[in-house]
Amino acid sequence: MENYRDFNAKTIDSWNSEGWEWGQAISHEVFSAAQKGDWSIVLTPQTSVPMNWYFPFVDETGHFRKGTKVLGLASGGGQQMPIFVAAGADCTILDLSDSQLASEKFVAERENYEIKIIKADMTQPLPFENESFDIIVHPVSNCYIENVQPVWQEAFRILKKGGLLLSGLDNGFNYLFDEYEAPMTIQNVLPYNPLINENQMKKALAENDGVQFSHTFGEQIGGQLKAGFVMTDAFEDFYDDNSRKNHGFPEFWATRALKI
């Protein structure tokens, strides 16, 4: 196999050609509402990020304070960053998928705004100076990389003091099961890592899932703490209403971490 990260980027491009929900750009109406301070984003599939998570960078009108610099880290798709731009932030998007970045360019051209668009691999040193950003938005995406600690270390490096890392995280529960219809039985052993498990790799390739990885609490939460962040808030989330009904166990975490 080629570099698995490049393979995953191409897999996401194939999903987008079929209408993947996380690659569909926001509408003009959503953009216009955000310009008026009426907006929300998700880091995980269902639950919107609380507005108080953006304090002190968003004022009481729902707009970012002048000069607030935001990085969308592996968050292409024309969803979060266009809303942040509309609400007044100076935004940069970094992703490895061509189609995800194309969605960002599409919205920027449609709404006539500027955004820095960078194609890069989040597992490598990020192409930014120390203390470049006030906020990093990192929705569920590190399930496509094997080792998440370098991401947390680089995020800490490029955030300004007082800056925020807002992350959506897969907690690993997804990878225990192939089917989510009740009754459910465990079908996979964790860690889910196709690079070291031949059966998992065969299944991933056969089902066009890309090469995905489960990560532990220690890697996801402990890794942010190890990098130097202070965790200030968090919530759990479900994939959809069916997963809530069929097993009642949240598959995702969202975290708010502060660089002090």
Side-chain angles (χ1 to χ4, degrees):
M1 177 184 284
E2 62 188 309
N3 176 310
Y4 79 86
R5 281 101 60 198
D6 291 333
F7 178 79
N8 280 342
K10 292 176 182 177
T11 299
I12 289 171
D13 291 341
S14 74
W15 296 346
N16 279 332
S17 70
E18 298 172 356
W20 190 46
E21 63 179 313
W22 305 117
Q24 304 305 304
I26 64 167
S27 68
H28 171 69
E29 290 72 23
V30 171
F31 186 87
S32 296
Q35 289 180 306
K36 299 172 184 176
D38 179 14
W39 59 272
S40 65
I41 67 161
V42 294
L43 297 168
T44 52
Q46 291 198 305
T47 303
S48 295
V49 176
M51 286 301 292
N52 62 11
W53 276 28
Y54 306 109
F55 179 83
F57 299 106
V58 171
D59 64 25
E60 64 278 1
T61 71
H63 293 90
F64 285 94
R65 300 189 186 283
K66 186 176 181 179
T68 299
K69 295 186 179 298
V70 179
L71 171 65
L73 179 58
S75 72
Q79 298 184 357
Q80 292 96 4
M81 289 305 99
I83 288 175
F84 276 53
V85 170
D90 176 359
C91 293
T92 299
I93 185 72
L94 182 148
D95 207 290
L96 193 57
S97 160
D98 289 329
S99 60
Q100 291 291 84
L101 294 176
S103 288
E104 297 290 336
K105 183 178 180 181
F106 168 76
V107 183
E109 291 178 348
R110 187 190 70 200
E111 305 297 343
N112 193 29
Y113 65 79
E114 293 186 1
I115 181 172
K116 301 175 188 70
I117 297 176
I118 298 173
K119 181 177 180 178
D121 182 347
M122 68 173 158
T123 70
Q124 304 302 308
L126 299 176
F128 307 112
E129 298 294 328
N130 294 350
E131 300 189 5
S132 294
F133 297 98
D134 298 293
I135 302 173
I136 295 176
V137 176
H138 179 52
V140 177
S141 57
N142 69 23
C143 53
Y144 302 109
I145 62 173
E146 185 176 23
N147 183 7
V148 299
Q149 192 59 40
V151 175
W152 304 139
Q153 299 294 148
E154 281 292 279
F156 190 84
R157 178 183 68 80
I158 65 175
L159 268 178
K160 300 175 185 178
K161 291 183 179 179
L164 300 171
L165 172 63
L166 309 180
S167 301
L169 309 169
D170 188 301
N171 63 24
F173 187 83
N174 274 316
Y175 297 101
L176 289 171
F177 308 96
D178 293 333
E179 302 292 338
Y180 268 56
E181 298 299 326
M184 295 170 60
T185 58
I186 292 175
Q187 292 146 317
N188 299 306
V189 175
L190 300 184
Y192 189 90
N193 183 340
L195 298 182
I196 61 175
N197 187 308
E198 183 177 356
N199 289 332
Q200 291 174 359
M201 180 63 81
K202 288 180 179 178
K203 175 182 178 295
L205 296 179
E207 299 185 6
N208 194 34
D209 287 338
V211 182
Q212 300 189 38
F213 305 88
S214 68
H215 296 295
T216 65
F217 181 90
E219 291 173 293
Q220 297 281 43
I221 308 301
Q224 293 183 54
L225 299 176
K226 186 183 297 183
F229 287 103
V230 174
M231 199 74 61
T232 62
D233 205 355
F235 62 83
E236 297 176 314
D237 200 13
F238 289 89
Y239 181 76
D240 59 20
D241 290 339
N242 284 332
S243 67
R244 186 189 303 267
K245 178 180 67 176
N246 288 336
H247 58 70
F249 191 97
E251 305 101 324
F252 300 94
W253 300 314
T255 58
R256 181 186 190 270
L258 175 68
K259 179 178 177 177
I260 60 173

